[in-house]
Amino acid sequence: MTPETPETPVTPVTGQRLNDACSKTVLSAAGTPAKGWAPHEREVDPLAETGEPFSCLNAVEIFADLTAQDMAALDRMSPPKLFSSGELVFSQSQPVTALFILKEGRIRIFRVAEDGKTLTIAILEPGAVFGEMLLVGQQMYDNYAEAIEDSIVCQLTAADVEEHFLSNPKIAVKISRLLGQQVARLEDRLTDMALRPLAARTASTLLTLDDAAPRGRFTYTRSVKLTHEQLAGLLGATREATSKTMADFAARGLIRQGRGRITINDIDGLRRISRSTF
């Protein structure tokens, strides 16, 4: 008769042991990376917390006279919003009575004619202030605002502007000066469109955009990020005529073109062309 094998005693699973086992499993899973790092993949949320508190106002010169308390209060009232490339910030069909502050990216302000043609009013860089604000003289009901690259925008209501900005004489003066500069730039563009040939207007516009373009992080060179279609909208010209002018500039070594990117090689040469009247 074969002797019976003694059974191994089973220790009952207590609550403490179960917790310990789960903890080991969770820690083991957390310590194992899900996938390797890929340099071409960007997983950082542009609105995620960083080491510094987010502020839409600290990069805008006209708000420099605000106190730290006012700055913090307004930042709480104007949470940042991410607009993807091609997304409208506001339009004729959805006008918004508000003041917008561009924190990151670029915004195109444009109008659409009855025949469908578009005229670009401005290309805005980070730090720009824009919007439909009757309180400060801006009227944009006929305009569209489009993000031409992923952009972070903050929005302030008319009540916020009236309470915090217009009650401050220094800020009110700066806003008036800003609006005056915008009017002067529009007058210059209208004069150029009426009196100067396309080559001169193109050269002048490229120089203006180059002045506002940020320098590269590693090369410290500037490049204008704009397509021929967007540039044609700024010039009030057709895309075909604009592309022909740009090809001529490139053939003469004045500029270098890439995909949606323009680098100026000869600033003096473009400056001479911008002053021509024939």
Side-chain angles (χ1 to χ4, degrees):
M1 182 175 180
T2 305
E4 294 182 0
T5 304
E7 295 182 359
T8 302
V10 178
T11 306
V13 178
T14 64
Q16 182 61 42
R17 289 184 60 201
L18 184 60
N19 288 341
D20 292 343
C22 290
S23 298
K24 290 179 181 179
T25 303
V26 171
L27 289 174
S28 175
T32 304
K35 60 178 180 179
W37 176 76
H40 63 279
E41 294 183 13
R42 181 180 180 185
E43 298 181 352
V44 178
D45 183 356
L47 300 181
E49 289 292 333
T50 59
E52 297 182 358
F54 184 92
S55 173
C56 258
L57 308 181
N58 58 9
V60 184
E61 191 273 335
I62 63 173
F63 303 138
D65 292 315
L66 285 175
T67 65
Q69 292 80 2
D70 285 341
M71 193 90 73
L74 283 170
D75 279 329
R76 288 192 295 269
M77 298 175 190
S78 56
K81 181 178 180 181
L82 176 64
F83 289 89
S84 302
S85 178
E87 187 176 355
L88 290 177
V89 180
F90 61 78
S91 66
Q92 280 186 334
S93 60
Q94 293 180 325
V96 179
T97 302
L99 189 69
F100 297 93
I101 303 166
L102 178 59
K103 183 68 175 180
E104 293 181 15
R106 290 188 303 159
I107 298 291
R108 178 173 74 115
I109 307 296
F110 66 98
R111 291 190 177 189
V112 180
E114 293 181 357
D115 59 1
K117 293 182 180 179
T118 62
L119 174 64
T120 300
I121 306 299
I123 301 290
L124 304 179
E125 301 287 343
V129 178
F130 64 101
E132 175 58 50
M133 286 301 302
L134 298 178
L135 287 170
V136 294
Q138 291 196 41
Q139 299 185 37
M140 289 190 163
Y141 283 135
D142 295 331
N143 293 346
Y144 295 79
E146 174 196 27
I148 57 177
E149 60 186 57
D150 291 350
S151 303
I152 298 177
V153 178
C154 298
Q155 177 180 331
L156 291 167
T157 66
D160 296 334
V161 174
E162 185 174 16
E163 179 180 356
H164 294 275
F165 295 163
L166 299 188
S167 60
N168 187 320
K170 291 183 179 180
I171 296 179
V173 169
K174 288 182 178 180
I175 291 178
S176 299
R177 189 177 301 146
L178 173 67
L179 295 175
Q181 292 170 353
Q182 292 177 352
V183 171
R185 284 195 295 268
L186 286 174
E187 289 178 346
D188 289 341
R189 287 189 59 202
L190 289 174
T191 301
D192 285 346
M193 292 174 65
L195 302 178
R196 292 185 181 275
L198 180 58
R201 285 159 33 210
T202 305
S204 177
T205 300
L206 289 176
L207 290 171
T208 300
L209 293 172
D210 183 68
D211 285 339
R215 292 188 179 274
R217 181 177 300 178
F218 302 108
T219 62
Y220 297 101
T221 58
R222 289 174 175 161
S223 61
V224 178
K225 293 189 290 184
L226 214 63
T227 66
H228 284 189
E229 184 175 359
Q230 292 166 345
L231 181 59
L234 271 174
L235 298 170
T238 64
R239 185 187 184 282
E240 292 75 14
T242 301
S243 296
K244 182 177 180 181
T245 301
M246 294 292 289
D248 177 61
F249 285 179
R252 295 161 64 178
L254 300 172
I255 63 172
R256 184 173 69 254
Q257 299 188 86
R259 178 170 294 182
R261 191 179 297 270
I262 305 163
T263 303
I264 295 179
N265 295 332
D266 187 352
I267 291 180
D268 292 334
L270 284 181
R271 191 171 287 120
R272 285 193 295 270
I273 295 175
S274 70
R275 292 194 289 262
S276 64
T277 57
F278 56 89

